Amino acid sequence: EDQVTQSPEALRLQEGESSSLNCSYTVSGLRGLFWYRQDPGKGPEFLFTLYSAGEEKEKERLKATLTKKESFLHITAPKPEDSATYLCAVQEGSGANSKLTFGKGITLSVRP
Amino acid sequence: EPEVTQTPSHQVTQMGQEVILRCVPISNHLYFYWYRQILGQKVEFLVSFYNNEISEKSEIFDDQFSVERPDGSNFTLKIRSTKLEDSAMYFCASSVGGTGDTQYFGPGTRLTVL
């Protein structure tokens, strides 16, 4: 069973059409939930870190929220340049054991 | 803004050959990682490295793989005898601290094994 499930797999929006991307996780002892953006052929680019249920973080048109079972990445009035794959990753464990477990990602396409 | 760099950007090799992928982590970071992403699949953890030793490794990271920090700036991943299934994007990442700290990723090295 996957520890991190992202949905939908792909999302097509019209410019200005707000929506939310979902990341469900089943790890116990969550130490951090991370959102990254990945453009084709590039490395993941850090967006947000969330640590505890109820936490929210915002940057430009993006807002990330966290509950005990899932996280949402809300995109308000998206632009074509927001088109990318959005990755969710969780971290459990402690000390030097700090690997990230990623979901499969959500491919967002924003049409002008 | 400091960033993780990786060389080469693309490496083509023959099956059975050794390859070394190189990374320069962000200068004040202490934790270093390698991940890989097979085309169309999710990013997978390979190994973490702290205080000059491996702190954690995945099942993928078998005896064919090794990591080294040969000097104060470089971090390398060696694959001793490449297989076709090693073809993937390999990402290096680094963080200041361990658990809870943000990992910053490099641009990746695309490894193609023929």
Side-chain angles (χ1 to χ4, degrees), chain B:
Chain B
E1 185 176 326
E3 54 185 26
V4 177
T5 59
Q6 291 186 242
T7 53
S9 56
H10 191 188
Q11 173 93 46
V12 181
T13 190
Q14 295 291 325
M15 191 169 55
Q17 294 297 304
E18 174 182 290
V19 295
I20 297 176
L21 310 183
R22 302 180 193 280
C23 167
V24 178
I26 295 172
S27 62
N28 64 329
H29 287 190
L30 301 177
Y31 291 77
F32 314 114
Y33 311 85
W34 284 100
Y35 292 82
R36 80 172 185 190
Q37 186 176 32
I38 295 170
L39 188 63
Q41 298 188 23
K42 60 184 175 181
V43 177
E44 300 175 290
F45 169 77
L46 293 178
V47 65
S48 58
F49 190 86
Y50 169 71
N51 200 25
N52 279 320
E53 60 182 28
I54 291 174
S55 49
E56 190 176 10
K57 60 183 181 179
S58 71
E59 292 177 354
I60 304 168
F61 194 89
D62 61 21
D63 293 344
Q64 293 300 313
F65 291 87
S66 63
V67 290
E68 191 179 30
R69 186 146 164 88
D71 53 44
S73 58
N74 291 281
F75 180 51
T76 62
L77 175 69
K78 182 193 290 186
I79 309 175
R80 272 181 259 284
S81 178
T82 50
K83 304 172 189 159
L84 295 176
E85 53 265 37
D86 293 329
S87 295
M89 280 286 280
Y90 287 81
F91 296 111
C92 174
S94 68
S95 61
V96 175
T99 303
D101 264 20
T102 299
Q103 295 178 24
Y104 294 90
F105 284 74
T109 292
R110 179 171 299 283
L111 177 65
T112 301
V113 182
L114 303 176

